[in-house]
Amino acid sequence: MRFSKILVVDNDPDFLMIMQRNLKGLGYANITAEDSPVKAAAFFDRGRDFDLAFIDMTMPEIDGLSLLGMVRQISP
């Protein structure tokens, strides 16, 4: 299965850059990278959807499990 829309959420900009580069190298083109879990949650509030999400578990503001719970309520 090919994932056409991928979300990467991590507060480390270097990690986001590495993930984007590696995913693009694997042939994935539609990658959204966000360093704020609050902004990432807002994507789902606005109706955006993703096929796959990589979420950092230890972030300020909202931890990864809390973000996942919010996403699952909006977009199971």
Side-chain angles (χ1 to χ4, degrees):
M1 173 181 194
R2 284 301 273 190
F3 301 105
S4 60
K5 295 179 281 183
I6 299 174
L7 173 64
V8 182
V9 185
D10 195 300
N11 61 306
D12 181 348
D14 292 330
F15 181 78
L16 289 176
M17 183 181 63
I18 291 167
M19 285 293 291
Q20 282 184 294
R21 184 177 59 226
N22 288 340
L23 289 167
K24 286 180 181 180
L26 292 170
Y28 297 101
N30 192 352
I31 304 160
T32 301
E34 182 53 63
D35 64 357
S36 166
V38 173
K39 290 180 183 176
F43 290 148
F44 294 92
D45 284 335
R46 291 191 305 261
R48 288 194 59 188
D49 66 331
F50 298 91
D51 299 309
L52 178 67
F54 293 96
I55 302 172
D56 181 13
M57 289 292 111
T58 55
M59 295 181 286
E61 301 172 308
I62 303 172
D63 66 63
L65 287 177
S66 297
L67 176 58
L68 180 60
M70 292 164 45
V71 169
R72 290 183 70 190
Q73 286 181 354
I74 298 167
S75 177

